Amino acid sequence: MVMLKVEHLSKKFKDTEVLKDISLEVAQGEVVAVIGPSGSGKSTLLRCLNQFEQITGGKVNICGDDMIVGQGKNGVIYAPKPVLKKIRLHVGMVFQNFNLFPHLSVLKNITEAPIRVLKKPKEQAQQEARALLKKVGLESKENAYPCELSGGQQQRVSIARALALNPKILFFDEPTSALDPELTGEILKIIQELAKEGRTMVVVTHEMSFARDVADRVIFMDGGYIVEEGRPEDVINHPQKERTRAFLERFTSLRSMAEPQD
Amino acid sequence: MDWQQIGNWFVMFLSGCGVALEIFVITLVCAIPLGVLLSFGRRSKYKVISWPVSLYISIMRGTPLLLQLLFVYFAPRYLFGLNYDRFLAALIAFVLNYAAYFAEIFRGGIDSMEKGQYEAAAALGMSKPQTFFRIILPQVVKRVIPATANEVITLVKDTSLAYALSVEELFFMANRQTSANGVITPLIIAGVYYYFFNLLLSILFRFIEKKLNYYK
Ligand SMILES: Nc1ncnc2c1ncn2[C@@H]1O[C@H](COP(=O)(O)OP(=O)(O)O)[C@@H](O)[C@H]1O
Ligand SMILES: [Mg+2]
């Protein structure tokens, strides 16, 4: 089953087109890693799919629901509000800077949406939240506030928060980029476990080893285009396009420079 | 020094304190909600709303409160021959003026909220009102407390301006006693009242700030 289908998506900010003719499909249970230099449009793509940005052209279908029903002069025509809301609940989002609610405890961060949006009974929402906290290894932190947690812990809470709505597809925008290097592992491990459970995920990342080991497919973006996509070992180890090669080369040389020599 | 007389003044001025307190409380109760509305208007994406509200706020903040007090009372009289209650006029002027200041504070607070908070809430399917009341507002309240406290303390002192409309509040009474008796003591007594009331307020605000300090 296709969980996400994007056809010829384009996005302009004023006159600059930052996404150009993006087409992609994500099947159920598939993990797709999106890589590419900064400014290539990776975040904008996720933001368009999350309805944070007005899409300029193209079509998007998420879990069988059309997000876009037509094309106007200055942008696409969106589906009616109830459909958009339904789509929204199919999609879970994990942000680079976590975006936890600082005034709410860890538990309330997770239960807020299930209680307010899904109208779940409080007890049930809390029980489920505790199970999720256990899953991300934070069962002892339910009463803590986000400011009392490390970056890695905060990101784990934000993953639990997204999972609490049981989304059909999960988007991650550089989930480890705001973290100290020694904390990235714990997050990547959780994403890997989610992959094993068969979650459908699109992960924007600069962690090539993660893309190689966890993703079923890698998409390389540059300049607003999808330049190359395919199996991780093909794209990362044997890139076909010059631009992919250049990016990966720069990347590995940067990485080896940054890594401690011992 | 005539302690008896000083004691008498302290008691006599209690009624002035009452009037000042009335102005203070009514102004806050009306100006804060009005300020919230104005801050929304100021942030409206519709120019027909945001523009007049901006103009209103800038006029209220750019002209003396004393002038506004006199204007609110005397403009209807000189323009339409309309006479009305001086106390009511003072209240209207204070509310109109303070609402503008509060609006700017609240606007600053709302504007300071990170976009990520709205997006996180939207991604979780929360509606606009849910996002505002459950996520944004509680954080804005915390952020605007210090500036609001300043404004509230200024209001205590500003109530004395109502004397220009001969409203018999604390300062008006003290001023009259000072002129009548040729001594400065009544004004000092009024100062003591203002000072202690503000002392209480600043303790209260410090307490509220502490209460809200459970998160950063
Ligand atoms: N709100 C915006 N307004 C104008 N330009 C934007 C906006 N957001 C992103 N851009 C531009 O779009 C391009 C793609 O940005 P982004 O999607 O953040 O790239 P990436 O996530 O791959 O680093 C960049 O050139 C960026 O400057
Ligand atoms: Mg980005």
Side-chain angles (χ1 to χ4, degrees), chain B residues 1-9 185 189:
Chain B
M1 199 164 309
D2 187 349
W3 292 102
Q4 175 86 38
Q5 177 60 22
I6 291 174
N8 284 347
W9 276 325
T185 324
I189 292 170

Side-chain angles (χ1 to χ4, degrees), chain A residues 47 52 85 88-89 91 93 95 99-104 112-113 116-117 119 145 147-148 161 165, chain B residues 114-127 130 134-136 138-139 143 214-216:
Chain A
R47 295 174 57 78
F52 295 155
K85 178 153 190 202
R88 181 137 256 169
L89 291 176
V91 176
M93 178 72 194
F95 300 88
N99 289 337
L100 290 177
F101 305 131
H103 61 302
L104 299 179
E112 185 70 14
R116 306 274 156 194
V117 179
K119 312 283 180 212
Y145 284 88
C147 62
E148 299 163 349
R161 180 175 71 174
L165 293 173
Chain B
E114 301 76 16
K115 203 168 68 169
Q117 291 289 302
Y118 291 94
E119 290 180 352
L124 292 167
M126 295 174 75
S127 66
Q130 280 172 338
R134 309 277 314 167
I135 305 301
I136 304 302
Q139 298 185 58
R143 289 182 190 194
Y214 65 89
Y215 74 90
K216 274 199 209 70

